[in-house]
Amino acid sequence: MRWEIDKSFDFCYGHRVWSQTLNKSFSLDNCLMCRHLHGHQGKIKISLASDTLKSGMVTDFKHLNWFKEWLDSTIDHKFIIDLNDPLNFDLASDYTNSSGEIDLNRLNHHKDGYYTPKLELLPPDSPQALIEKYEGFIFVDFIPTSENLTAWIFEIVSKRMDPLGVEVSSVEFWETPKSHCKVVGG
């Protein structure tokens, strides 16, 4: 036998898919809306599996409380930006070099593969609105599509659950109630 449990989490986030292209034969228009700065009410479902039960469970659902905390502090109400987004010279000009590229030395690198601006590098007289702007940014080294975000979260959860001997069988990601992505472990 094999058992699988899952737990879902809701959050809000923004992103921009600067690489979006469309085939007009299928999309029926050329409107590249995902290239715009925009936001979503997202949902993530983490599925855990095991061939054996410990104390009658795959694992306790509370063993995913860390993920809720991580999600709330890392992604919820944040804007996810690709380090290579050509708009970074404008979106994050205080954190770019003379070539308009993000200067990684001006960012905090986090163990889960994302970066946040070093706010202490802003001038002391920076307007509060500028500080709030940068507090809301996280940078990743991939285009923040549903597929890439799902794979990133799958990796993070898999590493974190490994010491418990619990397999992450899948991570599902809803960008909207009708747009869904799933990564399955293998």
Side-chain angles (χ1 to χ4, degrees), residues 94-95 119-132 134:
D94 294 293
Y95 293 91
L119 298 175
E120 66 274 13
L121 297 180
L122 291 172
D125 59 343
S126 293
Q128 184 63 30
L130 184 66
I131 295 166
E132 291 166 356
Y134 289 124

Side-chain angles (χ1 to χ4, degrees), residues 22 33 57 69 77 83-85 98 112 118 149 170 174 177:
L22 292 172
M33 291 186 294
M57 297 182 261
E69 182 180 292
H77 284 80
L83 287 169
N84 301 301
D85 189 319
S98 58
D112 292 324
K118 291 181 179 176
L149 290 167
S170 68
W174 284 263

Side-chain angles (χ1 to χ4, degrees), residues 15-142:
H15 70 158
R16 178 178 113 85
V17 181
W18 64 269
S19 63
Q20 182 191 20
T21 60
L22 292 172
N23 181 318
K24 190 174 179 182
S25 300
F26 292 92
S27 63
L28 306 182
D29 64 38
N30 288 325
C31 185
L32 300 169
M33 291 186 294
C34 292
R35 283 183 177 254
H36 300 163
L37 303 176
H38 66 284
H40 296 286
Q41 172 64 42
K43 179 179 178 175
I44 294 174
K45 182 168 86 170
I46 308 292
S47 296
L48 307 174
S50 181
D51 294 331
T52 59
L53 298 179
K54 298 172 191 152
S55 302
M57 297 182 261
V58 169
T59 195
D60 197 297
F61 286 108
K62 287 186 84 168
H63 286 156
L64 285 170
N65 285 357
W66 71 268
F67 181 73
K68 175 64 173 152
E69 182 180 292
W70 180 89
L71 188 65
D72 288 349
S73 64
T74 306
I75 298 178
D76 190 38
H77 284 80
K78 301 286 176 68
F79 197 85
I80 305 167
I81 306 169
D82 179 8
L83 287 169
N84 301 301
D85 189 319
L87 267 187
N88 282 335
F89 74 93
D90 188 50
L91 291 172
S93 59
D94 294 293
Y95 293 91
T96 58
N97 59 29
S98 58
S99 301
E101 299 165 336
I102 293 293
D103 180 353
L104 292 179
N105 294 317
R106 298 183 60 76
L107 301 178
N108 297 304
H109 182 247
H110 299 269
K111 66 179 173 126
D112 292 324
Y114 67 96
Y115 301 82
T116 54
K118 291 181 179 176
L119 298 175
E120 66 274 13
L121 297 180
L122 291 172
D125 59 343
S126 293
Q128 184 63 30
L130 184 66
I131 295 166
E132 291 166 356
K133 169 186 163 180
Y134 289 124
E135 283 175 336
F137 283 2
I138 70 164
F139 294 92
V140 292
D141 196 15
F142 55 83

Side-chain angles (χ1 to χ4, degrees), residues 161-173:
M161 298 307 289
D162 191 51
L164 290 176
V166 177
E167 175 193 338
V168 179
S169 56
S170 68
V171 171
E172 297 182 64
F173 185 97

